[in-house]
Amino acid sequence: MAIRSFKDKHPHIGINVYIDPTAVVIGDVSLGDDVSIWPTSVIRGDVEAIQIGAGTNVQDGSVLHVSHAGDYSETGHKLTIGKGVTIGHRAVVHGCSIGNYCLVGIGAIIMDAAVLEDYVMLAAGALVPPGKTLQSGYLYVGAPAKPIRALTESEKAFLEYSYQHYIRLKDNYLAGE
């Protein structure tokens, strides 16, 4: 079953959401309207909350998780993803905060307490270390991720195009087309 409760925590699913049958959504997870979760993705809100904003897409094989408070960490780290975000294939997004209209490249890794402000493009394979903030309007590459240059107007427009494309695609899946 793709959508599962954990203890007393139950996923909350918005309107017109697509969750592929091979994906798994567990526990304290909130998916906004028009979110799409693609094949073999795992979204596990078992020890902290995960909130995903409207129109965001989580592409194939991505892992979204959180951290708990305990002996080695005073506080847990929930995961918050804004609206219109594209999470690329095989990304690992862990206990961080991602603003609106960002792109997380294929195979990128974002660690606990990291922050991506609005309109950030994170390149494929990039690593965002714990606690690092990526400022709005830049392309970041590498491990650790570093700003390379400001985004062009065309790239900013692409960030919005990307999430809108995935809304149209998931609507086709929901319609059985």
Side-chain angles (χ1 to χ4, degrees):
M1 187 166 153
I3 303 169
R4 300 196 309 239
S5 297
F6 178 75
K7 295 188 176 183
D8 63 344
K9 298 172 183 161
H10 314 283
H12 297 278
I13 312 299
I15 299 168
N16 294 322
V17 170
Y18 173 74
I19 301 172
D20 187 87
T22 64
V24 179
V25 178
I26 300 171
D28 192 0
V29 175
S30 177
L31 303 178
D33 296 345
D34 288 315
V35 165
S36 57
I37 311 299
W38 297 94
T40 70
S41 292
V42 176
I43 302 174
R44 188 159 54 97
D46 49 6
V47 296
E48 268 293 346
I50 296 175
Q51 183 172 10
I52 300 175
T56 289
N57 62 88
V58 179
Q59 296 177 15
D60 311 58
S62 293
V63 176
L64 282 59
H65 195 230
V66 290
S67 293
H68 70 282
D71 294 344
Y72 298 96
S73 177
E74 290 182 24
T75 62
H77 296 283
K78 66 183 180 179
L79 173 59
T80 304
I81 300 173
K83 63 183 177 180
V85 174
T86 295
I87 306 289
H89 310 285
R90 287 192 318 100
V92 177
V93 181
H94 204 278
C96 60
S97 177
I98 299 175
N100 300 317
Y101 311 112
C102 292
L103 182 140
V104 176
I106 295 168
I109 300 171
I110 307 172
M111 299 300 296
D112 289 352
V115 175
L116 276 65
E117 296 179 348
D118 296 346
Y119 290 96
V120 166
M121 189 176 285
L122 182 63
L127 169 65
V128 182
K132 183 171 179 84
T133 296
L134 306 188
Q135 293 182 330
S136 180
Y138 287 90
L139 167 64
Y140 289 83
V141 303
K146 294 184 175 150
I148 296 301
R149 60 174 171 75
L151 295 176
T152 66
E153 290 305 313
S154 178
E155 287 167 331
K156 288 179 185 176
F158 174 77
L159 294 174
E160 294 189 29
Y161 166 84
S162 180
Y163 93 86
Q164 293 168 357
H165 163 73
Y166 271 90
I167 288 176
R168 290 187 296 273
L169 184 60
K170 68 93 183 154
D171 284 347
N172 288 336
Y173 274 76
L174 288 172
E177 297 175 0

